[in-house]
Amino acid sequence: MILYRIGELAKAANTSERTIDYYTKLGLISPEVRTEKNYRLYSHETLAALERISQLKQEKYSLDEIKSIMSKWSAAAPEAEVSDKLVELELHMQQLEREVKALEPVLSGLKPKQAKRALAALLPQGLACMEAIKYLLSQNL
């Protein structure tokens, strides 16, 4: 297992040591262990968590919202690989929701035939995605 001291983690995550201290105090991340000299050592999973936090901050989530989202993710799927994939999917779906909301003025101006064609093109892909997620989740229960 790769363990990072705070400076190494900051460099790998392209952030500051102060930010890592702050996130640790908020409970967004936590050290894996402490050394005899009381250095905090962080795991590779913490690096992935910092990347998720960065993504969510770019999407304008508050730190309280991020803490809530991350606690749901960690509670829902303890396996890191499954958790990471679900995180990616959830972030992607949230981004798509934002894009659809931004398109609402355009979509509301479509003629009925145009709207029907757009829906017909998107519906099979959306349903296939939902079925794939449903299948993956049922296999892990």
Side-chain angles (χ1 to χ4, degrees), residues 2 33-34 46 55 60 63 79 89 91 94 110 112 138:
I2 299 173
V33 294
R34 285 192 178 261
T46 305
Q55 288 173 332
K60 307 296 185 215
L63 290 176
E79 295 83 15
L89 288 171
L91 288 173
Q94 289 172 353
L110 292 177
S138 70

Side-chain angles (χ1 to χ4, degrees), residues 98-116:
R98 287 188 179 94
E99 290 175 14
V100 168
K101 285 182 182 178
L103 286 173
E104 278 183 35
V106 174
L107 295 174
S108 64
L110 292 177
K111 295 177 183 175
K113 277 188 172 182
Q114 292 172 319
K116 198 173 189 177

Side-chain angles (χ1 to χ4, degrees), residues 13-128:
N14 197 26
T15 191
S16 69
E17 292 178 24
R18 187 174 176 176
T19 298
I20 292 172
D21 278 335
Y22 186 61
Y23 290 170
T24 302
K25 286 177 187 170
L26 290 177
L28 288 169
I29 60 174
S30 59
E32 191 72 26
V33 294
R34 285 192 178 261
T35 67
E36 288 180 20
K37 293 185 178 182
N38 210 27
Y39 289 116
R40 290 172 285 172
L41 298 178
Y42 294 89
S43 68
H44 187 70
E45 287 77 22
T46 305
L47 181 58
L50 288 170
E51 291 170 357
R52 286 187 219 133
I53 292 168
S54 178
Q55 288 173 332
L56 291 167
K57 281 180 62 179
Q58 288 177 356
E59 293 182 17
K60 307 296 185 215
Y61 285 97
S62 71
L63 290 176
D64 286 335
E65 291 170 322
I66 292 171
K67 186 175 181 178
S68 174
I69 290 168
M70 291 185 69
S71 68
K72 287 178 192 174
W73 287 336
S74 63
E79 295 83 15
E81 187 175 321
V82 173
S83 180
D84 288 345
K85 291 296 179 186
L86 290 174
V87 166
E88 288 177 33
L89 288 171
E90 185 171 347
L91 288 173
H92 189 66
M93 290 185 332
Q94 289 172 353
Q95 182 62 35
L96 290 173
E97 285 178 31
R98 287 188 179 94
E99 290 175 14
V100 168
K101 285 182 182 178
L103 286 173
E104 278 183 35
V106 174
L107 295 174
S108 64
L110 292 177
K111 295 177 183 175
K113 277 188 172 182
Q114 292 172 319
K116 198 173 189 177
R117 276 195 304 247
L119 181 62
L122 293 174
L123 197 55
Q125 294 168 340
L127 289 174

